[in-house]
């Protein structure tokens, strides 16, 4: 049986393997400054193979760089010994740490066994690394709202002062004072550098998680839009930048001497634009409910202007950015009128007015439709006639005949309702993203059965929007929220309401939002649960990773290479990460001969971490023919079980991949 790695991959090693596979003749060895023989790439051979000039040294070239950029790349590639631990119920004993390094008790999951949504607490750089094996190329859409670098935002403190070997050991989670975040003031000489060093490695890791047809959307303001554009151009390729949306809000920021800022940006980038689905469309609304309201207003005796005004008050931009052009209303809803003639048309025939029974005015041009097509339009009430035949008839273009339209590059949103709701819940957050805005962003992507990742989750607006949109359009989007447990200001309303960190606000918001959505949409089916996972140190002791560093005499006291405070379910999730099994997978816990056995995704993975495992247990598991079977190396009851283990699987399930911890 093979031993599991139980750590993230070294992406630099992976990249070297890819290059070596493409150009094996460019692989060589050399001696480093310490006299050690190390792997290397022969630049001259590589230049010959790719038949283009390789720029070296101080030679002028177009480039995008900043201090510590090389270390930023190393930071993205470096492996870590971390794991994600499940939190089923509210914790009684603290695990993990908040942004100040202090342990805290996390509130638990909702519908842990059935939900497909994830809420992950931890440093998003570490979490993105942990997700690499499991979600590589599986995420269709990423939306993030990172720190804007306004001079007041908190940035992640990734320690670039330590060398890379130190990072491997510590992962740079806290500085020497135990602080995880810092305020990047504009007086800082590394103002843009610190922001770039924060965002760049996270974008590199995010790219690998995207499917080939996936997209990432990033909210940002004018402070870093240029740098963000260059970062995305370097990571994804400039040709894969789809659009830079201008997002106009009704909330003006009066913090400028000269201009009141009422907009920000939304950068949309594809993993591979050629593979990205075409025909992007944004659903306008639930037309059935809107038309019912229209019909009720028509029966009320109000004038058309009054009806149109009342309908307009129900509309939220930009869903109906052009609604004011739909100036007519009938029982099929709002519509606008357009010309029925076409230049150069030779279709000339009489269109009879339904009241006067006389031919309608045509003008000098012919009809845009054939006579048979025109008759169908008349029969189906798609022609707007004037009071008499002297007024040229027009075509009715109903709002809901074409319920989808390409997204526009300028978007308008009102965030007041979201802000009011957040304040009413005492969650804090002065400027939360509008639910309608994020729903609109999510609906841009044509596939409604996909994973949506937000690794700057904040107040969990994305999770709220995913549930709301699923309830409205019947989609099956799943969310993965990632958030560092940033400590809440003790003077804030949120802290006074009992929330000690942002993760607790985000999770409680999801709980309350799910309840609210279910009450407002009693017939809708959507997943209102989430499985909480917490980023923590590996379940394995150091001896597991570095056995040669321990004296043989010590192994008697280190027989168990698993930390004492870890549960079998903790081990299961680290195994799932290592084997690339989705963290939202269905997990069934059964008992075989008194031993707890986990069955993941209907025999895809079966694991047993109990001690003294007998032949009876091994035989029953083998009969289920799992794709993977995992157990602890020291779990077998006796030497006889160890001797017969391979024979049992050879007899019942020879294709099962067997792994040990």
């Amino acid at each position: 049986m093979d031993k599991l790695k139980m750590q993230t991959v070294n992406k630099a090693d992976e990249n070297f393997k890819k290059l070596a596979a493409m150009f094996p003749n460019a692989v060589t060895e050399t001696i480093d400054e310490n006299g050690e023989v190390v792997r290397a790439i022969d630049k001259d051979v590589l230049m010959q193979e790719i038949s283009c000039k390789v720029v070296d040294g101080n030679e002028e070239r177009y480039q995008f760089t900043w201090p510590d950029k090389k270390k930023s790349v190393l930071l993205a590639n470096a492996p870590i010994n971390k794991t994600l631990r499940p939190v089923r119920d509210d914790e009684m004993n603290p695990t993990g740490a908040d942004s100040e390094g202090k342990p805290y008790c996390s509130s638990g999951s909702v519908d842990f066994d059935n939900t497909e949504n994830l809420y992950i607490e931890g440093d998003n750089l570490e979490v993105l690394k942990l997700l690499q094996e499991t979600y590589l190329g599986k995420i269709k859409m990423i939306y993030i709202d990172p720190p804007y670098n306004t001079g007041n935002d908190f940035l992640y403190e990734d320690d670039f002062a330590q060398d890379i070997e130190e990072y491997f050991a510590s992962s740079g989670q806290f500085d020497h004072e135990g602080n995880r975040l810092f305020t990047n003031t504009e007086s800082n000489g590394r103002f843009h550098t610190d922001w770039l060093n924060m965002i760049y490695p996270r974008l590199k890791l995010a790219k690998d998680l995207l499917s080939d047809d996936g997209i990432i959307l990033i909210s940002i303001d004018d402070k870093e839009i240029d740098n963000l554009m260059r970062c995305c151009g370097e990571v994804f390729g400039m040709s894969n930048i789809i659009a830079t949306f201008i997002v106009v809000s009704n909330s003006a920021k009066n913090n400028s001497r000269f201009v009141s800022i009422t907009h920000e940006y939304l950068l949309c980038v594809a993993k591979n634009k050629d593979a990205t689905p075409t025909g992007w469309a944004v659903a306008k609304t639930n037309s059935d409910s809107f038309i019912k309201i229209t019909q009720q207003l028509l029966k009320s005796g109000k004038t058309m202007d009054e009806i149109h005004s009342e309908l307009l008050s129900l509309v939220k931009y930009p869903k109906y950015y052009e609604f004011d052009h739909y100036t007519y209303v009938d029982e099929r809803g709002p519509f606008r009128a357009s010309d029925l003639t076409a230049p150069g048309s030779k279709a000339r025939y009489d269109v009879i007015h339904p009241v006067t029974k006389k031919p309608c005015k045509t003008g000098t041009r012919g009809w845009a439709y054939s006579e048979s097509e025109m008759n169908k339009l008349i029969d189906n009430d798609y022609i707007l006639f004037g009071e008499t035949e002297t007024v040229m008839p027009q075509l009715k273009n109903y709002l809901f005949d074409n319920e989808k339209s390409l997204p526009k590059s300028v978007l308008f949103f009102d965030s007041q309702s979201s802000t009011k709701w957040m304040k009413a819940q005492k969650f804090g957050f002065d400027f939360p993203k509008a639910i309608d805005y994020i729903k609109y962003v999510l609906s841009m992507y044509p596939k409604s059965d996909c994973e949506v990742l937000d690794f700057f989750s904040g107040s969990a607006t994305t999770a709220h929007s995913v549930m709301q949109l699923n309830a409205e359009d019947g989609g099956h989007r799943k969310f993965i929220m990632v958030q560092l447990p940033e400590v809440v200001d003790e003077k804030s309303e949120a802290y006074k309401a009992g929330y000690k960190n942002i993760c607790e606000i985000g999770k409680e918001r999801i709980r309350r939002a799910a309840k609210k959505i279910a009450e407002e949409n009693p017939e809708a089916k959507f997943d209102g649960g989430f499985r909480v996972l917490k980023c923590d140190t590996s379940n394995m002791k150091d001896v597991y990773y570095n056995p040669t560093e321990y004296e043989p005499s010590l192994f008697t006291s280190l027989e168990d290479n698993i930390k004492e405070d870890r549960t079998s379910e903790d081990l299961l999730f680290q195994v799932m990460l290592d084997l690339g099994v989705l963290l939202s997978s269905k997990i069934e816990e059964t008992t075989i001969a008194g031993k707890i056995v986990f069955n993941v995704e209907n025999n895809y993975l079966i694991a047993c971490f109990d001690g003294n495992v007998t032949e009876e247990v091994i035989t029953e598991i083998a009969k289920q023919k799992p794709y993977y079977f995992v157990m602890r190396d020291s779990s077998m009851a006796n030497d006889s079980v160890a001797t017969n283990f391979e024979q049992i699987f050879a007899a019942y399930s020879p294709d099962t991949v067997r792994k040990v911890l």
Side-chain angles (χ1 to χ4, degrees):
M1 289 188 289
D2 295 328
K3 189 174 182 180
L4 287 167
K5 302 188 302 294
M6 302 294 272
Q7 68 177 15
T8 63
V9 298
N10 186 327
K11 294 186 75 65
D13 288 339
E14 297 292 308
N15 292 335
F16 179 83
K17 290 175 184 177
K18 293 174 184 176
L19 195 59
M22 294 174 64
F23 308 108
N25 56 330
V27 178
T28 185
E29 295 177 351
T30 189
I31 297 176
D32 66 11
E33 61 274 9
N34 299 318
E36 300 287 335
V37 177
V38 295
R39 69 187 184 190
I41 294 292
D42 190 317
K43 182 183 69 174
D44 294 331
V45 174
L46 188 61
M47 288 173 62
Q48 294 170 1
E49 288 289 346
I50 61 180
S51 297
C52 71
K53 180 177 177 60
V54 175
V55 182
D56 189 26
N58 295 323
E59 190 171 350
E60 290 183 351
R61 87 291 301 264
Y62 174 81
Q63 63 182 153
F64 176 49
T65 191
W66 62 90
D68 289 332
K69 181 179 180 181
K70 289 181 180 179
K71 289 186 178 180
S72 178
V73 175
L74 289 173
L75 189 66
N77 292 335
I80 56 171
N81 296 335
K82 292 271 188 168
T83 189
L84 296 177
R85 300 177 65 184
V87 183
R88 279 184 172 268
D89 304 308
D90 292 355
E91 289 184 332
M92 298 294 105
N93 298 310
T95 63
D98 60 26
S99 59
E100 292 183 349
K102 299 175 183 176
Y104 72 97
C105 288
S106 174
S107 61
S109 305
V110 175
D111 198 18
F112 185 97
D113 291 321
N114 300 305
T115 184
E116 294 183 86
N117 299 319
L118 300 176
Y119 190 98
I120 305 175
E121 302 175 30
D123 177 347
N124 55 18
L125 183 68
E126 295 174 349
V127 173
L128 288 171
K129 290 184 178 188
L130 290 170
L131 297 180
Q132 289 295 306
E133 196 77 30
T134 305
Y135 290 91
L136 185 71
K138 290 187 174 70
I139 305 295
K140 297 289 185 186
M141 175 178 276
I142 298 174
Y143 169 77
I144 56 173
D145 185 17
Y148 284 7
N149 210 23
T150 61
N152 299 312
D153 294 328
F154 283 99
L155 297 187
Y156 285 71
E157 179 82 278
D158 299 316
D159 191 352
F160 289 90
Q162 62 182 351
D163 64 34
I164 201 66
E165 293 300 327
E166 290 174 330
Y167 179 81
F168 288 174
S170 70
S171 84
Q173 188 171 7
F174 304 107
D175 65 17
H176 63 283
E177 295 178 346
N179 297 315
R180 189 62 191 80
L181 300 172
F182 73 100
T183 303
N184 191 31
T185 61
E186 292 187 82
S187 60
N188 177 16
R190 293 168 53 93
F191 183 68
H192 294 291
T193 290
D194 285 338
W195 190 86
L196 286 165
N197 283 329
M198 181 276 296
I199 200 69
Y200 189 77
R202 290 164 173 82
L203 290 178
K204 281 181 65 68
L205 292 167
K207 177 190 176 185
D208 291 336
L209 296 179
L210 280 175
S211 60
D212 200 42
D213 60 349
I215 60 170
I216 181 170
L217 298 112
I218 309 168
S219 288
I220 200 69
D221 72 357
D222 55 352
K223 287 284 196 303
E224 297 293 353
I225 179 62
D226 292 338
N227 283 331
L228 179 63
M229 181 86 75
R230 290 186 177 93
C231 272
C232 289
E234 183 164 308
V235 173
F236 295 90
M238 289 300 294
S239 62
N240 287 316
I241 294 178
I242 291 176
T244 303
F245 294 93
I246 297 172
V247 184
V248 180
S249 170
N250 64 331
S251 300
K253 296 180 181 179
N254 297 310
N255 56 358
S256 170
R257 289 178 58 198
F258 303 105
V259 178
S260 178
I261 306 299
T262 59
H263 77 282
E264 59 182 34
Y265 301 93
L266 178 69
L267 184 61
C268 179
V269 187
K271 172 76 169 286
N272 178 359
K273 190 187 286 186
D274 292 336
T276 303
T278 56
W280 277 25
V282 179
K284 289 188 173 178
T285 190
N286 183 332
S287 58
D288 290 338
S289 61
F290 202 92
I291 289 174
K292 285 180 181 177
I293 295 172
T294 303
Q295 292 171 347
Q296 291 171 1
L297 290 172
L298 286 169
K299 294 176 182 177
S300 68
K302 295 184 178 182
T303 66
M304 283 297 161
D305 286 343
E306 290 173 334
I307 292 172
H308 190 271
S309 177
E310 195 155 337
L311 289 174
L312 185 61
S313 69
L314 301 174
V315 171
K316 294 180 179 178
Y317 285 78
K319 254 190 303 189
Y320 300 104
Y321 63 91
E322 56 185 2
F323 181 82
D324 50 349
H325 296 300
Y326 289 80
T327 53
Y328 300 93
V329 180
D330 66 15
E331 291 190 349
R332 280 190 295 209
F335 67 91
R336 57 185 174 85
S338 61
D339 195 352
L340 273 169
T341 64
S345 172
K346 297 181 179 179
R348 296 182 182 276
Y349 49 84
D350 288 339
V351 174
I352 305 301
H353 192 278
V355 177
T356 66
K357 306 302 180 183
K358 296 179 180 179
C360 291
K361 177 182 176 181
T362 60
T364 59
R365 301 191 299 187
W367 298 113
Y369 301 91
S370 67
E371 189 169 4
S372 60
E373 290 174 324
M374 182 69 79
N375 288 333
K376 287 181 181 179
L377 291 171
I378 293 172
D379 292 341
N380 291 309
D381 194 22
Y382 270 86
I383 303 299
L384 177 65
F385 288 95
E387 291 186 5
T388 68
E389 74 282 357
T390 59
V391 179
M392 186 181 296
Q394 293 178 290
L395 177 67
K396 293 181 181 180
N397 292 284
Y398 286 92
L399 180 62
F400 300 118
D401 277 354
N402 179 19
E403 289 195 35
K404 293 180 179 290
S405 62
L406 285 176
K408 308 303 180 186
S409 60
V410 179
L411 309 177
F412 298 85
F413 288 97
D414 182 352
S415 61
Q416 288 184 347
S417 59
S418 295
T419 302
K420 288 179 182 177
W421 187 78
M422 291 289 285
K423 286 185 176 180
Q425 307 302 315
K426 297 184 178 180
F427 288 149
F429 289 89
D430 293 332
F431 300 103
K433 286 288 183 287
I435 295 296
D436 285 332
Y437 171 33
I438 305 302
K439 278 168 49 186
Y440 186 85
V441 170
L442 295 172
S443 68
M444 285 183 190
Y445 196 74
K447 298 182 180 179
S448 61
D449 184 3
C450 61
E451 306 277 356
V452 178
L453 170 64
D454 182 348
F455 53 88
F456 285 96
S457 173
S459 65
T461 302
T462 302
H464 189 160
S465 303
V466 166
M467 295 187 297
Q468 185 76 53
L469 188 59
N470 283 342
E472 292 176 3
D473 69 5
H476 191 58
R477 303 167 188 84
K478 286 86 69 177
F479 64 74
I480 303 175
M481 299 293 103
V482 182
Q483 177 60 42
L484 184 76
E486 298 176 35
V487 175
V488 173
D489 187 342
E490 294 185 10
K491 298 178 181 178
S492 67
E493 287 297 316
Y495 188 91
K496 294 174 184 176
Y499 303 107
K500 299 300 185 289
N501 63 61
I502 291 179
C503 288
E504 297 311 310
I505 295 175
K507 288 181 290 184
E508 184 60 22
R509 177 184 184 172
I510 298 172
R511 296 184 189 104
R512 296 188 189 182
K515 181 180 179 181
K516 181 173 181 286
I517 294 167
E519 290 172 350
E520 294 175 351
N521 305 270
E523 297 181 3
K525 294 181 180 180
F526 69 97
D527 185 352
F530 55 92
R531 185 175 282 183
V532 176
L533 303 172
K534 184 177 288 190
C535 186
D536 204 347
T537 58
S538 172
N539 296 310
M540 317 309 292
K541 295 177 180 177
D542 290 342
V543 66
Y544 184 88
Y545 301 103
N546 305 296
T548 58
E549 296 180 8
Y550 290 82
E551 294 292 333
S553 59
L554 292 176
F555 277 101
T556 54
S557 62
L558 292 171
E559 282 183 358
D560 194 346
N561 53 18
I562 297 167
K563 294 175 181 175
E564 286 76 11
D565 65 337
R566 304 306 165 95
T567 67
S568 292
E569 201 163 54
D570 288 336
L571 294 176
L572 177 65
F573 273 83
Q574 188 162 3
V575 167
M576 290 166 66
L577 283 170
D578 207 72
L579 296 178
V581 182
L582 293 181
L583 299 175
S584 57
S585 296
K586 185 80 172 177
I587 301 171
E588 294 183 16
E589 183 181 320
T590 58
T591 302
I592 300 177
K595 304 300 177 184
I596 295 175
V597 176
F598 296 99
N599 188 318
V600 182
E601 283 299 314
N602 299 317
N603 297 339
Y604 183 73
L605 163 64
I606 293 182
C608 179
F609 304 114
D610 285 357
N612 298 313
V613 175
T614 63
E615 286 188 21
E616 179 185 357
V617 177
I618 299 297
T619 301
E620 288 302 313
I621 289 173
K623 285 181 178 179
Q624 295 181 54
K625 302 182 185 302
Y627 184 85
Y628 284 113
F629 171 62
V630 179
M631 64 185 299
R632 291 162 73 163
D633 198 13
S634 58
S635 289
M636 297 187 191
N638 50 53
D639 292 341
S640 175
V641 177
T643 302
N644 296 329
F645 179 89
E646 295 296 339
Q647 294 179 356
I648 293 171
F649 269 95
Y652 292 104
S653 186
D655 295 330
T656 294
V657 180
R658 282 91 79 184
K659 301 278 187 179
V660 294
L661 304 182

